[in-house]
Amino acid sequence: MDGILVINKEVDMTSHDVVARLRHILHERKIGHSGTLDPQASGVLLVLIGKACKILPFLCDTDKEYVARLQLGQRTISDDIWGEVLEERPIQPISNFAALCSDFVGVIEQQPPLISSIKVNGRKLYEYARAHEEVEVPKRQVTIYAIDVLDQEKLRFRVACSSGTYIRALCRDMALQSGNLGCMAELVRTKVGRFALEQSVTLSDVEKGNYQLLEVDALLEHIPVVAYEPLADIYNGKSIHLPLETNHEYIRIQDHEKTIAIYKYSHGDVYKCARGIW
């Protein structure tokens, strides 16, 4: 079984839980996903099955879209309402939430939450938190493409952002800029790349057989296809020579219109096999 499933992850499940359930349902060991979704969050989880697991490093569908809600009045260790409360403060009402949101659109510096799997000095940040050890959390650049206010009163918004953006951190920083403490109170991932929540299926759907696998090539359309013969060279993982005008870092070789390998430019007219998918 090879392909991609767009899963609607339920609340109170880890991404690993979803993979484990699918391994049991589909009787397939080779299953992975393209981006972790917190247990308290729901929404789109892109799941790779069988040969599709091999293409994970080559995905370009990594931008995300979320619907989230900001809650004011407290700072927590995880920057969401499910973490330990570290500080509370009276709420200063936000009169123009849209204006506040617009301040965060563009390329911004973001400090990830302390409860996260980012590594510092070889250890994950949440390991420092659990050990009650102080650590300097490095900031990193992320891109916020757009933020749309959905409910001014409840501080609900939709955000489109680059991979690696923490919406928990975004909520924390929005609150601070408004003169408040705050954290994330709900999160739904509505899109991963071109794959939207409306296209997703639940684990229950999969159990009932109500799903359709997307082909591996559906996630590789950004890599150009180049004709090559003999295909035996490709199946043997040999380096190949192509015209210099090919001029692409990565190319795909297909057999009967299905990608069997991804090649990377090496030097001169030489391309080397980056990943076989047969």
Side-chain angles (χ1 to χ4, degrees):
M1 178 177 285
D2 307 300
I4 300 98
L5 268 178
V6 184
I7 292 290
N8 181 358
K9 188 190 84 66
E10 301 171 12
V11 172
D12 295 329
M13 292 188 73
T14 66
S15 300
H16 179 74
D17 290 338
V18 173
V19 169
R21 282 279 303 278
L22 287 172
R23 284 173 177 161
H24 176 73
I25 295 169
L26 300 174
H27 306 290
E28 170 65 57
R29 298 305 303 168
K30 294 182 180 179
I31 299 182
H33 61 81
S34 69
T36 301
L37 194 56
D38 290 341
Q40 296 83 7
S42 64
V44 177
L45 184 69
L46 209 58
V47 176
L48 311 176
I49 302 172
K51 294 177 184 177
C53 293
K54 296 182 177 182
I55 69 171
L56 184 59
F58 306 99
L59 297 184
C60 73
D61 283 295
T62 55
D63 289 338
K64 310 291 195 307
E65 181 185 274
Y66 299 90
V67 169
R69 181 167 66 87
L70 167 62
Q71 180 167 303
L72 302 177
Q74 58 184 211
R75 177 173 67 91
T76 71
I77 193 170
S78 57
D79 294 325
D80 60 34
I81 61 171
W82 300 281
E84 175 189 353
V85 177
L86 302 177
E87 185 181 356
E88 294 184 301
R89 188 187 299 170
I91 294 173
Q92 305 297 319
I94 299 175
S95 59
N96 191 339
F97 187 42
L100 174 64
C101 290
S102 67
D103 289 342
F104 288 86
V105 175
V107 178
I108 64 172
E109 291 274 318
Q110 186 179 75
Q111 180 176 298
L114 188 57
I115 303 298
S116 65
S117 58
I118 292 174
K119 286 189 175 182
V120 175
N121 299 324
R123 295 174 63 192
K124 295 178 179 179
L125 286 177
Y126 67 75
E127 294 175 335
Y128 289 98
R130 289 174 179 173
H132 302 286
E133 297 176 11
E134 291 190 3
V135 61
E136 184 176 346
V137 182
K139 292 186 177 181
R140 56 184 186 173
Q141 281 193 344
V142 298
T143 303
I144 307 296
Y145 302 114
I147 304 180
D148 301 313
V149 174
L150 302 178
D151 191 318
Q152 162 75 35
E153 183 178 348
K154 295 182 179 180
L155 303 181
R156 290 182 74 248
F157 60 95
R158 178 185 293 108
V159 54
C161 56
S162 62
S163 179
T165 303
Y166 280 91
I167 308 305
R168 290 181 281 146
L170 179 63
C171 286
R172 175 201 66 207
D173 295 343
M174 282 180 170
L176 289 173
Q177 184 149 320
S178 71
N180 286 281
L181 297 178
C183 57
M184 187 184 75
E186 64 180 62
L187 184 68
V188 179
R189 185 191 281 166
T190 51
K191 191 177 288 187
V192 174
R194 80 195 90 164
F195 303 103
L197 190 59
E198 294 76 19
Q199 300 170 259
S200 66
V201 295
T202 65
L203 289 175
S204 179
D205 290 328
V206 178
E207 283 182 316
K208 296 173 184 176
N210 298 329
Y211 68 93
Q212 184 175 1
L213 283 181
L214 300 173
E215 293 189 0
V216 171
D217 281 87
L219 295 184
L220 295 176
E221 293 174 347
H222 59 290
I223 302 177
V225 175
V226 173
Y228 180 83
E229 293 286 348
L231 289 178
D233 289 350
I234 307 302
Y235 284 109
N236 288 323
K238 292 183 177 180
S239 296
I240 61 177
H241 295 265
L242 293 172
L244 291 176
E245 61 266 22
T246 301
N247 196 29
H248 297 290
E249 182 181 11
Y250 289 99
I251 60 168
R252 286 186 286 151
I253 307 295
Q254 292 187 328
D255 185 0
H256 291 88
E257 298 185 348
K258 289 190 176 183
T259 297
I260 57 171
I262 297 173
Y263 271 67
K264 184 178 181 179
Y265 176 75
S266 175
H267 63 278
D269 63 349
V270 177
Y271 278 76
K272 291 187 176 182
C273 185
R275 182 61 54 91
I277 311 176
W278 55 84

